[in-house]
Amino acid sequence: MMQEDKQLAVVSLSQTVSYHRHNYHQVVISLSGQSEFDIDGVTNLIYPGLGCLVMANCEHAFVGIGDNELLVINLPLVFNDNNEIKQRISQLFSRSGYFYLDNQSQQLIQLLITEMKANPTDELLQQACIMTLLCVLQRHLQIPYRERQSQRLNIDVVDNYIQHNINHKITVAQLAAIVFLAESQFYALFKTQTGNTPQRYILQKRLQLAKQLLSERKLTVAHIAQACGFAGQSSFSQAFRRLYGIPPARYQRQL
């Protein structure tokens, strides 16, 4: 993705799928557009607000989707003699996975990127930005642990991911990954907190959007089925009728 001797860079991914592994840890944070990563068998779209951690020697695949820009940090390269930084990196990279950043953190990252782009040769600034980013990530990746201890999930993060990916297949593994939990842990917490399985919850979100699009009368039933992530018009109609008691075409005509 980037030269091994460069610790921090803003890059764009090509639209050709690439596979590789490297002997250093890597942080990837989306700045604009979309890209897709496959890490340890879990595929996720990466867009602003999302990122991923790739452990050293973990084989992964990635591809850009249209115009995209990502911040990439390779670790460790120059921290070998700093035990505190080595410990932080070790804690951060307990495993590979995806993460979500709140708006405040995204704004901070954008400010850091602006400074780095304006001063590309200032190595001290680059090191300071890396330290800041590591601290921000550590704070965020400790949140799922606290939520797990208190038996609470941040449903807003889950809803945000579903909203951005509602026209695609969404798996429990993907939802678990963005809150940095094992799939079984996420499933149990989610069902306890919402009273629904993740699959049922996603289906309800798809059908809520479909109902809204039907009321707007701008798309055909077939196009709405596609926009809401259904495999076809038939499966969409069946699911809609089971929940609302009426086929989507008739619902649209009756509005």
Side-chain angles (χ1 to χ4, degrees):
M1 187 188 303
M2 58 185 291
Q3 294 179 358
E4 293 189 11
D5 60 350
K6 198 163 187 181
Q7 190 174 357
L8 183 149
V10 175
V11 304
S12 295
L13 299 184
S14 73
Q15 297 183 46
T16 301
V17 179
S18 299
Y19 302 82
H20 74 187
R21 67 176 66 198
H22 33 69
N23 60 1
Y24 48 85
H25 299 315
Q26 193 171 73
V27 179
V28 180
I29 299 173
S30 176
L31 302 177
S32 66
Q34 289 187 332
S35 55
E36 186 175 275
F37 279 72
D38 186 301
I39 306 170
D40 286 340
V42 178
T43 302
N44 250 338
L45 284 176
I46 300 295
Y47 50 84
L50 286 182
C52 58
L53 301 176
V54 184
M55 291 185 68
N57 300 311
C58 172
E59 186 171 344
H60 53 286
F62 50 90
V63 61
I65 303 174
D67 293 333
N68 64 88
E69 194 172 54
L70 304 103
L71 175 66
V72 179
I73 307 170
N74 292 332
L75 299 166
L77 290 179
V78 297
F79 300 141
N80 293 333
D81 58 345
N82 189 317
N83 290 329
E84 182 178 352
I85 298 303
K86 286 173 66 176
Q87 184 177 4
R88 281 180 177 266
I89 293 172
S90 177
Q91 292 173 348
L92 184 61
F93 286 91
S94 59
R95 63 185 177 91
S96 298
Y98 302 89
F99 57 83
Y100 174 83
L101 294 171
D102 60 22
N103 290 334
Q104 181 178 347
S105 297
Q106 292 179 52
Q107 292 171 5
L108 173 60
I109 289 170
Q110 289 292 347
L111 289 173
L112 294 176
I113 295 300
T114 300
E115 285 297 317
M116 288 187 291
K117 285 183 174 180
N119 303 275
T121 61
D122 190 334
E123 294 186 5
L124 184 59
L125 173 63
Q126 301 246 335
Q127 295 300 317
C129 288
I130 290 171
M131 297 294 189
T132 302
L133 288 167
L134 286 176
C135 292
V136 169
L137 287 175
Q138 270 202 310
R139 178 171 61 86
H140 270 76
L141 298 186
Q142 287 171 354
I143 290 175
Y145 175 78
R146 292 197 296 269
E147 289 170 346
R148 183 164 67 248
Q149 294 295 95
S150 63
Q151 299 297 299
R152 299 295 296 175
L153 285 173
N154 188 339
I155 300 299
D156 288 341
V157 173
V158 176
D159 285 344
N160 180 275
Y161 184 84
I162 293 173
Q163 179 183 348
H164 276 85
N165 296 274
I166 202 161
N167 60 327
H168 298 283
K169 180 180 178 180
I170 301 173
T171 66
V172 177
Q174 289 172 322
L175 296 180
I178 63 169
V179 293
F180 229 66
L181 292 174
E183 188 173 342
S184 59
Q185 292 172 322
F186 173 82
Y187 188 98
L189 284 176
F190 189 92
K191 190 171 181 181
T192 298
Q193 190 168 330
T194 67
N196 265 328
T197 65
Q199 297 93 331
R200 179 69 178 171
Y201 188 85
I202 294 167
L203 177 60
Q204 290 177 349
K205 290 292 185 181
R206 295 190 195 280
L207 291 172
Q208 287 170 9
L209 175 60
K211 196 174 184 180
Q212 175 188 332
L213 294 176
L214 286 167
S215 66
E216 293 174 357
R217 294 175 171 270
K218 294 179 181 179
L219 298 174
T220 66
V221 172
H223 282 111
I224 290 173
Q226 182 179 12
C228 296
F230 288 92
Q233 185 174 338
S234 175
S235 61
F236 165 53
S237 297
Q238 291 175 8
F240 192 93
R241 185 169 186 168
R242 281 196 299 269
L243 184 62
Y244 297 116
I246 185 174
R250 186 186 301 173
Y251 174 83
Q252 192 174 47
R253 287 196 302 269
Q254 290 181 355
L255 289 173

